[in-house]
Amino acid sequence: MKIFGFWLKLFGIIGFSLFHIAVFSQDELITNIPSRNTYSLDGQWQYIVDPYETGIYDYRHKELSQNDPQAYWNPDTAQNKSDRKEYGYSDKYVLKVPGDWNSQLPEFLYYEGTLWYKKSFDYHKSKNANRIFLYFGAVNYRADVYLNGSKLGIHIGGFTPFNFEVPDSLLKEKGNFLVIRVDNKRSAEGVPTLNTDWWNYGGITRSVKLIELPAAAIRDYFIQLKSKSETKGEVEGWVKLDSVISGDKLRIEIPALRINKIFPETGKIVAVHFMLPPFRPWSPENPVCYQVVISNGADRIEEKIGFRTIETRGREILLNGKPVFLRGVCIHEEIPQQGRRAFSPQDAMQLLGWARELGCNMVRLAHYPHDESMTRLADSLGIMVWSEIPVYWTIDFSSAAVLENAEKQLNEMITRDHNRASIMIWSVGNETPVSQTRTHFMKTLVDSAKIMDPTRLLTAALEVNLHANQQTRMVDDPLGEYLDLIAFNEYLGWYGGTPASCRTANWETKYNKPFFISETGAGALGGFHADSLTIWSEEYQEWYFREQVSMFKRMPAGFSGVSPWILADFRSPRRNNPVYQEGWNRKGLIDQQGGKKKAFFVLKQYYSEIILTPSTLR
Ligand code: GCU
């Protein structure tokens, strides 16, 4: 029966992947880029800012034809002295890639619209390269990709990777002309939609690379401990090949565990199933990652995989079979000192380094998938991760197209990171308003995620109904029925009541599942000091956290952790107090200059107590 269940799951994965490709006519995501043969296209790109989209529409707003000489994806050089060119790319106008445009030029701080990027490059194909792909770590929000005047494809969604195959006939040895139209306009049918509490950073915000693959490339793989396995060390997964060489064998090696397994290539998806010998499980205390080598006759991939299990039992979260309390913090993908999107390993080190200083063993990467350097660094630092798609607030839950978009972003988030030991939780959204349509929409996402990855916990950050006069706050969102972890955002003492309201507040959930406070926080302008009743002072925020921590200490059984909002101040167009905010959300425990506010130390003290006396678990 068990093996039948395995094949059923496998066909579910295949079906879901094929659906994804068919519907989105996009190349299947290539994973583990660090292990591939790549050619970086990062650096300076020329740009044309185009708020009226002249580069794609004529004066009657009719779309220009593919070969129209006025289209901004076509070569911009005049053919002769009377050739009228009313656009052009120049080194006078350049932007750094990766990077948002808002933080690179003052005139772009609030820019929302179309901007054209152009990169010229020469390229010599390596001898054993068979197929060439263009890979983007992320582009916010829509990317139209053109190479040498031909359109390769479109990607929608600002925080997940994508790749397009480059036909051999298109690439030249000299002077390739790569143009990306980036459009970061918000829209009612977007994911996220018009309204967010973060800055709409536009641009090619993560790295761009050419990837060379052999014909029978290893496209993707999933090598994880089987969930709910009766036997310790049971690995169950698959390897996805671009093509099968007849008689070829797939090999999986884990040298440190003396594993060297061969699997017949029965098709483009090869099921893998084997037992590990005694191994050291990954955990925050011991983030052991093993070198795993996957190879076939044509390709060889090296990956670092930490083996561990995450599950729930009643109201407990179990990591490697033992109860765990998540000492978390929420993080936006932003470097506060420069007010810009984070994208590099150095940026990841700064943000996760701060989380470690706080005493965290977990981070909630809000409200969208962060750069891969964050999840890879979390693997090696031993920090558990909650990763989330930007189904945020009030998107259009009635639209099939919006659901497709959300599913695609979910697919890309899980595909990129499904071998990361640190990722324990997939979240399908944040503070979505309760309705039947919304709950059906979110359940669809939960079901899809479970097919793609049955090994991790599913959740969403729910909103509790805060009735100021109520002593007991009940978390009874119907979506909780379908989640493994009941997570909710509460701001008792900031949005309603005062921090003293925490003293008489009681919390309950109607579900016999672990529950988690996914946001709680108060604003303070770093360096502004007054008495604790003065809002915006560091002392008010400090008082808020003291009262919250006292409330945490008397939470009912099942309280499994908290990720306060938020590690650091971040830009938001919704925050316009001219003295205390000036376009910044000030709920950071760390201020815009990177200084730690007094509340940082209240939370740090709470976490250090938990570390010293794990038995109390909170
Ligand atoms: C909400 C939301 C956050 C927002 C925060 C706030 O809970 O999830 O994205 O920034 O509250 O109001 O600061």
Side-chain angles (χ1 to χ4, degrees):
M1 193 53 194
K2 269 193 314 184
I3 199 68
F4 172 73
F6 170 71
W7 284 104
L8 197 65
K9 216 182 296 174
L10 190 63
F11 285 122
I13 291 161
I14 299 169
F16 190 81
S17 303
L18 294 176
F19 159 80
H20 166 67
I21 304 160
V23 171
F24 307 115
S25 68
Q26 200 175 298
D27 285 295
E28 274 199 279
L29 198 58
I30 301 165
T31 56
N32 191 352
I33 303 311
S35 186
R36 305 296 180 161
N37 238 8
T38 61
Y39 175 91
S40 174
L41 292 172
D42 289 350
Q44 287 214 326
W45 289 50
Q46 295 166 338
Y47 75 85
I48 298 171
V49 58
D50 185 13
Y52 283 48
E53 297 174 331
T54 312
I56 189 167
Y57 299 112
D58 68 13
Y59 76 114
R60 297 287 190 217
H61 212 259
K62 192 167 147 307
E63 193 157 334
L64 301 174
S65 67
Q66 177 73 25
N67 305 321
D68 190 307
Q70 299 307 332
Y72 288 11
W73 57 79
N74 284 321
D76 58 342
T77 40
Q79 299 309 304
N80 55 56
K81 64 184 175 186
S82 47
D83 185 8
R84 177 178 58 82
K85 275 286 180 191
E86 295 202 43
Y87 78 98
Y89 295 96
S90 156
D91 281 342
K92 279 173 23 186
Y93 303 98
V94 292
L95 285 170
K96 281 197 298 290
V97 167
D100 62 86
W101 63 56
N102 313 70
S103 62
Q104 292 194 50
L105 290 163
E107 61 269 34
F108 287 167
L109 181 59
Y110 283 92
Y111 182 63
E112 294 184 301
T114 284
L115 185 141
W116 299 83
Y117 285 84
K118 179 239 165 183
K119 184 80 175 176
S120 293
F121 65 94
D122 300 339
Y123 171 66
H124 181 71
K125 187 173 168 180
S126 327
K127 61 180 176 18
N128 63 351
N130 181 278
R131 299 168 70 184
I132 314 296
F133 294 81
L134 252 184
Y135 177 91
F136 298 81
V139 176
N140 189 42
Y141 169 78
R142 170 182 167 135
D144 293 61
V145 179
Y146 304 84
L147 180 65
N148 298 330
S150 297
K151 186 156 196 177
L152 295 184
I154 297 172
H155 182 267
I156 288 177
F159 305 96
T160 47
F162 56 99
N163 41 250
F164 295 114
E165 182 157 13
V166 181
D168 244 354
S169 55
L170 207 49
L171 263 178
K172 302 186 287 190
E173 286 263 338
K174 295 280 178 204
N176 291 286
F177 190 91
L178 174 62
V179 170
I180 321 293
R181 174 202 174 201
V182 179
D183 180 357
N184 77 327
K185 284 193 297 296
R186 289 164 292 118
S187 69
E189 64 281 353
V191 178
T193 184
L194 288 164
N195 192 17
T196 67
D197 190 22
W198 69 78
W199 207 263
N200 181 23
Y201 286 108
I204 304 178
T205 48
R206 296 178 193 161
S207 280
V208 184
K209 298 178 188 307
L210 278 173
I211 299 180
E212 298 179 332
L213 292 186
I218 296 165
R219 175 71 60 130
D220 184 16
Y221 46 88
F222 183 62
I223 297 177
Q224 294 285 294
L225 289 180
K226 179 180 176 188
S227 62
K228 301 184 181 54
S229 163
E230 282 78 44
T231 38
K232 197 168 158 52
E234 183 178 6
V235 173
E236 183 179 72
W238 45 265
V239 174
K240 205 179 279 183
L241 306 171
D242 278 359
S243 64
V244 174
I245 306 166
S246 67
D248 195 8
K249 298 252 186 296
L250 181 81
R251 187 183 295 271
I252 293 181
E253 299 164 84
I254 311 178
L257 296 176
R258 279 191 275 285
I259 291 258
N260 189 339
K261 300 278 181 191
I262 289 181
F263 301 88
E265 291 186 8
T266 47
K268 288 167 73 169
I269 299 210
V270 181
V272 297
H273 185 252
F274 57 93
M275 299 304 293
L276 296 179
F279 66 97
R280 296 168 63 206
W282 186 96
S283 72
E285 296 71 28
N286 292 298
V288 175
C289 289
Y290 289 94
Q291 187 210 30
V292 177
V293 180
I294 308 156
S295 58
N296 65 354
D299 205 356
R300 182 177 187 281
I301 295 280
E302 285 201 20
E303 175 67 280
K304 287 199 179 329
I305 296 183
F307 295 101
R308 82 287 174 278
T309 58
I310 186 80
E311 56 201 317
T312 62
R313 181 182 59 203
R315 288 183 171 236
E316 291 182 312
I317 299 176
L318 304 181
L319 175 65
N320 300 319
K322 294 197 202 80
V324 66
F325 185 82
L326 306 181
R327 308 187 307 272
V329 72
C330 289
I331 302 181
H332 257 306
E333 186 173 55
E334 195 168 296
I335 297 299
Q337 301 96 319
Q338 288 116 34
R340 65 170 173 82
R341 273 275 172 255
F343 57 80
S344 69
Q346 296 70 20
D347 292 340
M349 195 61 227
Q350 171 179 310
L351 296 174
L352 293 182
W354 277 340
R356 265 208 316 192
E357 268 187 76
L358 197 50
C360 296
N361 62 1
M362 176 263 182
V363 290
R364 177 185 172 204
L365 301 185
H367 283 292
Y368 37 75
H370 288 208
D371 184 81
E372 190 172 356
S373 50
M374 281 290 271
T375 52
R376 284 186 175 274
L377 183 59
D379 272 12
S380 48
L381 293 181
I383 295 178
M384 294 179 279
V385 170
W386 157 320
S387 191
E388 180 168 298
I389 52 172
V391 173
Y392 181 90
W393 285 355
T394 321
I395 67 165
D396 181 355
F397 297 102
S398 66
S399 156
V402 170
L403 178 58
E404 247 177 52
N405 181 347
E407 294 246 52
K408 182 169 73 70
Q409 293 190 45
L410 179 69
N411 179 290
E412 291 165 346
M413 171 177 75
I414 294 177
T415 303
R416 188 194 77 183
D417 283 346
H418 55 199
N419 289 302
R420 300 276 68 78
S422 53
I423 294 196
M424 303 292 171
I425 297 167
W426 300 120
S427 166
V428 293
N430 179 73
E431 292 190 351
T432 52
V434 178
S435 76
Q436 251 194 331
T437 310
R438 161 271 196 176
T439 303
H440 175 71
F441 182 104
M442 302 299 275
K443 179 182 181 306
T444 307
L445 294 176
V446 170
D447 293 346
S448 302
K450 285 280 181 199
I451 292 173
M452 289 199 60
D453 178 5
T455 69
R456 290 177 171 90
L457 305 185
L458 259 294
T459 194
L462 307 172
E463 201 173 26
V464 292
N465 28 12
L466 270 182
H467 303 306
N469 56 350
Q470 258 179 341
Q471 301 306 2
T472 300
R473 286 156 175 75
M474 171 60 81
V475 182
D476 54 6
D477 187 318
L479 181 57
E481 188 68 40
Y482 312 107
L483 304 177
D484 298 312
L485 175 65
I486 303 298
F488 58 91
N489 300 344
E490 56 88 8
Y491 285 87
L492 187 54
W494 180 260
Y495 294 126
T498 75
S501 314
C502 293
R503 296 171 194 168
T504 54
N506 301 300
W507 298 87
E508 276 178 25
T509 85
K510 64 176 267 195
Y511 302 103
N512 182 32
K513 299 178 178 179
F515 69 93
F516 177 83
I517 296 179
S518 37
E519 285 182 34
T520 183
L525 176 64
F528 170 53
H529 296 287
D531 62 73
S532 57
L533 284 173
T534 304
I535 196 164
W536 301 116
S537 71
E538 284 199 37
E539 286 69 20
Y540 185 99
Q541 187 191 40
E542 181 187 33
W543 174 36
Y544 176 96
F545 274 91
R546 287 200 193 290
E547 297 288 358
Q548 286 275 330
V549 165
S550 305
M551 183 174 73
F552 299 158
K553 291 181 176 176
R554 49 183 195 79
M555 280 286 183
F559 177 47
S560 300
V562 58
S563 54
W565 190 262
I566 186 170
L567 180 67
D569 289 357
F570 62 96
R571 283 192 191 282
S572 167
R574 297 170 48 83
R575 307 298 173 171
N576 297 309
N577 178 305
V579 176
Y580 301 107
Q581 295 178 313
E582 298 182 283
W584 285 76
N585 184 312
R586 297 291 186 197
K587 296 191 184 67
L589 296 165
I590 292 173
D591 66 26
Q592 186 181 340
Q593 291 71 35
K596 295 180 182 69
K597 301 176 193 174
K598 295 173 90 168
F600 179 96
F601 303 98
V602 174
L603 191 66
K604 182 179 169 78
Q605 173 60 27
Y606 173 53
Y607 285 169
S608 58
E609 285 167 18
I610 293 174
I611 294 167
L612 292 173
T613 53
S615 55
T616 60
L617 266 187
R618 58 169 189 270

